[in-house]
Amino acid sequence: MESATMPHDVAIAFDHVAKRFSRTGGPAAISDLDFRVRTGEHVCVVGRTGCGKSTSVNLILGLTPASAGRVDVLGVDPYRDFKRLRGRIGCVFQSDRLLPWRTALDNVLMPLEVLHARNARTESEAADLLAKVGLAGYEHAHPHELSGGMRQRVAIARALITRPDVLIADEAFGHLDEVTAAALRADFQRIAKAQGQTVYQITHSLDEALLLADRILVFDRPGRVAGEFARAQWEAGGARQPVRETLRSLIAGGEAPSLQAVAGDRQVA
Ligand SMILES: Nc1ncnc2c1ncn2[C@@H]1O[C@H](COP(=O)(O)OP(=O)(O)OP(=O)(O)O)[C@@H](O)[C@H]1O
Ligand SMILES: [Mg+2]
Protein backbone atom coordinates (compact mmCIF):
# COMPACT_ATOMS: atom_id res chain seq x y z
CA MET A 1 0.00 0.00 0.00
CA GLU A 2 1.56 3.29 -1.09
CA SER A 3 1.35 5.98 1.54
CA ALA A 4 -0.22 9.14 0.21
CA THR A 5 0.80 11.26 3.16
CA MET A 6 4.37 10.12 3.83
CA PRO A 7 6.92 12.81 2.90
CA HIS A 8 9.72 11.62 0.59
CA ASP A 9 12.44 12.49 3.10
CA VAL A 10 11.04 10.01 5.64
CA ALA A 11 12.36 6.45 5.31
CA ILE A 12 10.73 4.83 8.36
CA ALA A 13 7.63 6.02 10.22
CA PHE A 14 5.94 4.55 13.28
CA ASP A 15 2.58 6.22 13.74
CA HIS A 16 1.24 5.48 17.25
CA VAL A 17 2.05 1.80 16.85
CA ALA A 18 1.00 -0.82 19.39
CA LYS A 19 1.88 -4.51 19.33
CA ARG A 20 0.35 -7.29 21.38
CA PHE A 21 1.33 -10.88 20.72
CA SER A 22 -1.64 -12.40 22.55
CA ARG A 23 -5.02 -12.11 20.81
CA THR A 24 -6.75 -12.39 24.19
CA GLY A 25 -5.16 -9.31 25.73
CA GLY A 26 -2.03 -9.80 27.79
CA PRO A 27 0.75 -7.25 28.13
CA ALA A 28 1.71 -5.10 25.12
CA ALA A 29 5.24 -5.52 23.74
CA ILE A 30 4.83 -2.04 22.28
CA SER A 31 2.24 0.39 23.66
CA ASP A 32 2.64 3.60 21.65
CA LEU A 33 5.67 3.98 19.37
CA ASP A 34 5.66 7.21 17.43
CA PHE A 35 8.77 8.37 15.58
CA ARG A 36 10.24 9.02 12.11
CA VAL A 37 13.66 8.23 10.63
CA ARG A 38 14.67 10.62 7.84
CA THR A 39 16.21 9.38 4.60
CA GLY A 40 19.97 9.05 5.05
CA GLU A 41 19.74 9.45 8.82
CA HIS A 42 21.52 7.09 11.23
CA VAL A 43 19.28 6.47 14.25
CA CYS A 44 20.42 4.39 17.21
CA VAL A 45 17.84 2.95 19.59
CA VAL A 46 18.79 2.21 23.19
CA GLY A 47 16.64 0.92 26.04
CA ARG A 48 16.57 -1.79 28.64
CA THR A 49 15.82 -5.37 27.84
CA GLY A 50 12.23 -6.19 26.84
CA CYS A 51 11.23 -2.64 25.86
CA GLY A 52 10.32 -3.66 22.30
CA LYS A 53 13.46 -2.85 20.30
CA SER A 54 13.64 -6.15 18.41
CA THR A 55 9.85 -6.13 18.02
CA SER A 56 10.19 -2.75 16.26
CA VAL A 57 12.72 -4.38 13.91
CA ASN A 58 10.32 -7.26 13.20
CA LEU A 59 7.60 -4.72 12.39
CA ILE A 60 9.94 -2.89 9.97
CA LEU A 61 10.79 -6.20 8.32
CA GLY A 62 7.10 -7.06 7.96
CA LEU A 63 7.53 -10.26 9.95
CA THR A 64 4.60 -9.42 12.18
CA PRO A 65 1.65 -6.98 11.88
CA ALA A 66 1.06 -3.98 14.15
CA SER A 67 -1.95 -4.38 16.47
CA ALA A 68 -2.76 -0.66 16.17
CA GLY A 69 -1.30 2.37 14.43
CA ARG A 70 0.74 2.31 11.24
CA VAL A 71 4.26 1.29 10.21
CA ASP A 72 5.57 2.77 6.97
CA VAL A 73 8.91 1.84 5.37
CA LEU A 74 9.87 3.62 2.14
CA GLY A 75 6.20 4.44 1.56
CA VAL A 76 5.16 0.79 1.92
CA ASP A 77 3.27 -1.13 4.62
CA PRO A 78 5.93 -3.79 5.29
CA TYR A 79 3.55 -6.47 6.56
CA ARG A 80 0.94 -6.15 3.82
CA ASP A 81 3.26 -5.46 0.91
CA PHE A 82 6.66 -6.91 1.72
CA LYS A 83 7.35 -7.91 -1.89
CA ARG A 84 7.83 -4.25 -2.75
CA LEU A 85 10.59 -3.97 -0.14
CA ARG A 86 12.63 -6.99 -1.32
CA GLY A 87 16.26 -5.99 -1.72
CA ARG A 88 15.57 -2.53 -0.27
CA ILE A 89 16.22 -3.43 3.38
CA GLY A 90 19.46 -5.04 4.61
CA CYS A 91 19.73 -6.57 8.09
CA VAL A 92 22.48 -7.58 10.47
CA PHE A 93 21.56 -9.40 13.69
CA GLN A 94 23.47 -10.40 16.81
CA SER A 95 24.12 -13.88 15.41
CA ASP A 96 25.50 -13.97 11.88
CA ARG A 97 22.80 -16.36 10.53
CA LEU A 98 25.17 -17.58 7.80
CA LEU A 99 24.42 -20.86 6.05
CA PRO A 100 27.22 -23.20 7.19
CA TRP A 101 27.38 -25.19 3.94
CA ARG A 102 27.90 -22.09 1.78
CA THR A 103 31.15 -20.19 1.25
CA ALA A 104 31.50 -16.56 2.34
CA LEU A 105 30.90 -15.44 -1.27
CA ASP A 106 27.83 -17.66 -1.68
CA ASN A 107 26.41 -16.39 1.62
CA VAL A 108 26.85 -12.77 0.48
CA LEU A 109 25.10 -13.60 -2.80
CA MET A 110 22.03 -15.16 -1.11
CA PRO A 111 19.82 -12.03 -1.24
CA LEU A 112 20.60 -11.64 -4.95
CA GLU A 113 19.69 -15.26 -5.64
CA VAL A 114 16.28 -14.61 -4.06
CA LEU A 115 15.92 -11.69 -6.51
CA HIS A 116 17.21 -13.84 -9.42
CA ALA A 117 20.03 -11.34 -9.86
CA ARG A 118 23.11 -13.55 -9.42
CA ASN A 119 25.45 -13.20 -12.40
CA ALA A 120 29.13 -12.60 -13.21
CA ARG A 121 28.82 -8.87 -12.50
CA THR A 122 27.11 -9.29 -9.10
CA GLU A 123 29.57 -12.06 -8.16
CA SER A 124 32.38 -9.63 -8.74
CA GLU A 125 30.48 -6.98 -6.68
CA ALA A 126 30.17 -9.50 -3.83
CA ALA A 127 33.92 -10.13 -3.92
CA ASP A 128 34.50 -6.34 -3.85
CA LEU A 129 32.19 -6.01 -0.84
CA LEU A 130 34.03 -8.78 1.01
CA ALA A 131 37.25 -6.86 0.34
CA LYS A 132 35.62 -3.66 1.65
CA VAL A 133 34.81 -5.35 4.95
CA GLY A 134 38.38 -6.68 5.20
CA LEU A 135 37.88 -10.23 3.91
CA ALA A 136 39.80 -10.23 0.62
CA GLY A 137 41.12 -13.75 0.08
CA TYR A 138 38.37 -15.39 2.18
CA GLU A 139 35.73 -15.58 -0.57
CA HIS A 140 35.79 -19.39 -0.64
CA ALA A 141 36.09 -19.98 3.10
CA HIS A 142 33.19 -21.64 4.90
CA PRO A 143 31.77 -20.08 8.10
CA HIS A 144 33.45 -22.68 10.35
CA GLU A 145 36.82 -21.54 9.00
CA LEU A 146 36.19 -17.94 10.06
CA SER A 147 36.28 -16.23 13.48
CA GLY A 148 33.10 -14.73 14.97
CA GLY A 149 34.16 -11.24 13.91
CA MET A 150 34.93 -12.41 10.37
CA ARG A 151 31.55 -14.16 10.12
CA GLN A 152 29.86 -10.95 11.23
CA ARG A 153 31.77 -9.13 8.48
CA VAL A 154 30.32 -11.60 5.95
CA ALA A 155 26.85 -10.88 7.40
CA ILE A 156 27.44 -7.13 6.91
CA ALA A 157 28.51 -7.69 3.30
CA ARG A 158 25.36 -9.84 2.77
CA ALA A 159 23.21 -7.00 4.18
CA LEU A 160 24.82 -4.53 1.77
CA ILE A 161 24.89 -6.58 -1.44
CA THR A 162 21.53 -5.36 -2.77
CA ARG A 163 22.53 -1.73 -2.03
CA PRO A 164 19.49 -1.40 0.23
CA ASP A 165 17.95 1.98 1.01
CA VAL A 166 17.56 0.99 4.66
CA LEU A 167 20.04 -0.86 6.84
CA ILE A 168 18.88 -2.49 10.07
CA ALA A 169 21.28 -3.66 12.77
CA ASP A 170 19.96 -5.35 15.93
CA GLU A 171 22.83 -5.66 18.45
CA ALA A 172 25.05 -6.49 15.49
CA PHE A 173 28.30 -5.88 17.38
CA GLY A 174 27.04 -6.91 20.82
CA HIS A 175 28.84 -10.20 21.29
CA LEU A 176 32.21 -9.21 19.80
CA ASP A 177 35.28 -8.13 21.78
CA GLU A 178 35.75 -4.36 22.00
CA VAL A 179 38.59 -4.14 19.45
CA THR A 180 36.76 -6.23 16.83
CA ALA A 181 33.49 -4.40 17.50
CA ALA A 182 35.18 -0.99 17.06
CA ALA A 183 36.69 -2.02 13.71
CA LEU A 184 33.37 -3.41 12.46
CA ARG A 185 31.42 -0.34 13.62
CA ALA A 186 33.82 1.89 11.71
CA ASP A 187 33.51 -0.17 8.51
CA PHE A 188 29.74 -0.43 8.86
CA GLN A 189 29.33 3.33 9.25
CA ARG A 190 31.83 4.19 6.50
CA ILE A 191 30.07 2.01 3.92
CA ALA A 192 26.55 3.08 4.99
CA LYS A 193 27.48 6.77 4.82
CA ALA A 194 29.20 6.33 1.45
CA GLN A 195 26.06 4.71 0.03
CA GLY A 196 23.73 7.30 1.65
CA GLN A 197 21.81 4.59 3.49
CA THR A 198 19.26 5.14 6.22
CA VAL A 199 20.34 3.19 9.31
CA TYR A 200 18.11 1.94 12.14
CA GLN A 201 20.43 0.42 14.70
CA ILE A 202 19.62 -1.20 18.04
CA THR A 203 22.42 -1.22 20.57
CA HIS A 204 23.03 -1.70 24.30
CA SER A 205 26.23 0.34 24.09
CA LEU A 206 25.93 4.07 24.76
CA ASP A 207 29.46 4.49 23.38
CA GLU A 208 28.36 2.92 20.11
CA ALA A 209 25.24 5.12 19.93
CA LEU A 210 27.17 8.32 20.76
CA LEU A 211 29.81 7.44 18.17
CA LEU A 212 27.57 6.44 15.26
CA ALA A 213 24.17 8.07 15.58
CA ASP A 214 22.85 11.28 14.09
CA ARG A 215 20.05 10.84 16.63
CA ILE A 216 19.49 8.55 19.61
CA LEU A 217 16.03 7.30 20.60
CA VAL A 218 15.54 5.91 24.10
CA PHE A 219 12.79 3.30 24.33
CA ASP A 220 11.00 2.54 27.56
CA ARG A 221 8.76 -0.39 28.55
CA PRO A 222 6.36 -1.19 27.07
CA GLY A 223 7.52 0.13 23.69
CA ARG A 224 7.40 3.91 23.69
CA VAL A 225 9.93 6.67 23.10
CA ALA A 226 11.06 8.02 26.46
CA GLY A 227 13.51 10.55 25.05
CA GLU A 228 15.52 11.55 22.02
CA PHE A 229 18.79 13.36 21.44
CA ALA A 230 20.30 14.84 18.27
CA ARG A 231 24.06 14.71 17.69
CA ALA A 232 24.33 18.51 18.03
CA GLN A 233 23.13 18.15 21.64
CA TRP A 234 25.98 15.89 22.75
CA GLU A 235 28.57 17.52 20.52
CA ALA A 236 27.99 20.95 22.10
CA GLY A 237 30.94 21.90 24.31
CA GLY A 238 30.86 20.03 27.62
CA ALA A 239 27.48 18.40 26.90
CA ARG A 240 28.63 14.85 26.15
CA GLN A 241 28.82 13.71 29.76
CA PRO A 242 25.48 15.25 30.85
CA VAL A 243 23.75 13.70 27.79
CA ARG A 244 25.35 10.36 28.61
CA GLU A 245 24.12 10.58 32.22
CA THR A 246 20.61 11.53 31.07
CA LEU A 247 20.61 8.58 28.65
CA ARG A 248 21.65 6.23 31.47
CA SER A 249 18.98 7.63 33.75
CA LEU A 250 16.26 7.30 31.07
CA ILE A 251 17.31 3.74 30.29
CA ALA A 252 17.17 2.92 33.99
CA GLY A 253 13.55 4.15 34.04
CA GLY A 254 14.06 7.75 35.06
CA GLU A 255 15.86 6.84 38.27
CA ALA A 256 19.30 8.14 39.22
CA PRO A 257 21.97 5.89 37.66
CA SER A 258 23.23 3.27 40.09
CA LEU A 259 26.93 2.75 40.74
CA GLN A 260 26.73 -0.54 38.85
CA ALA A 261 25.15 1.22 35.87
CA VAL A 262 27.93 3.81 35.81
CA ALA A 263 30.52 1.01 35.69
CA GLY A 264 29.65 -0.25 32.23
CA ASP A 265 27.17 0.23 29.40
CA ARG A 266 25.89 -3.30 29.19
CA GLN A 267 25.02 -3.40 32.89
CA VAL A 268 22.31 -0.76 32.62
CA ALA A 269 20.28 -2.95 30.29
N1 LIG B 1 7.00 -13.69 19.41
C1 LIG B 1 6.68 -13.21 20.63
N2 LIG B 1 5.64 -13.74 21.32
C2 LIG B 1 5.27 -13.24 22.54
N3 LIG B 1 5.90 -12.21 23.16
C3 LIG B 1 6.96 -11.68 22.52
C4 LIG B 1 7.40 -12.14 21.24
N4 LIG B 1 8.47 -11.38 20.84
C5 LIG B 1 8.68 -10.50 21.85
N5 LIG B 1 7.78 -10.67 22.85
C6 LIG B 1 7.68 -9.87 24.09
O1 LIG B 1 7.72 -8.51 23.73
C7 LIG B 1 8.47 -7.75 24.66
C8 LIG B 1 9.55 -6.98 23.90
O2 LIG B 1 10.51 -7.91 23.37
P1 LIG B 1 11.71 -7.47 22.43
O3 LIG B 1 12.41 -8.69 21.99
O4 LIG B 1 11.20 -6.55 21.40
O5 LIG B 1 12.61 -6.64 23.46
P2 LIG B 1 14.04 -5.97 23.25
O6 LIG B 1 13.89 -4.54 23.61
O7 LIG B 1 14.58 -6.29 21.92
O8 LIG B 1 14.90 -6.69 24.40
P3 LIG B 1 16.47 -7.10 24.41
O9 LIG B 1 17.22 -5.84 24.76
O10 LIG B 1 16.53 -8.11 25.52
O11 LIG B 1 16.83 -7.67 23.07
C9 LIG B 1 9.01 -8.73 25.67
O12 LIG B 1 8.20 -8.69 26.81
C10 LIG B 1 8.89 -10.08 24.98
O13 LIG B 1 8.64 -11.10 25.91
MG1 LIG C 1 16.24 -7.42 21.23
Side-chain angles (χ1 to χ4, degrees), residues 46 206-207 210 216 218 229 233-234 238-265 268:
V46 296
L206 290 186
D207 283 335
L210 290 163
I216 298 174
V218 185
F229 297 85
Q233 285 172 270
W234 70 85
R240 195 178 178 88
Q241 199 50 29
V243 166
R244 173 183 265 282
E245 289 308 317
T246 309
L247 282 166
R248 281 193 195 287
S249 161
L250 278 171
I251 292 169
E255 297 146 22
S258 69
L259 280 177
Q260 193 192 31
V262 171
D265 282 339
V268 295

Side-chain angles (χ1 to χ4, degrees), residues 21 29 48-55 171 204:
F21 285 98
R48 61 182 152 162
T49 185
C51 67
K53 302 181 300 295
S54 294
T55 303
E171 294 187 47
H204 277 294

Side-chain angles (χ1 to χ4, degrees), residues 44-47 53 169-174 185 201-210 212 216 251 266:
C44 281
V45 176
V46 296
K53 302 181 300 295
D170 189 353
E171 294 187 47
F173 313 115
R185 268 178 215 135
Q201 177 172 6
I202 312 297
T203 178
H204 277 294
S205 162
L206 290 186
D207 283 335
E208 187 168 299
L210 290 163
L212 299 181
I216 298 174
I251 292 169
R266 296 189 62 78

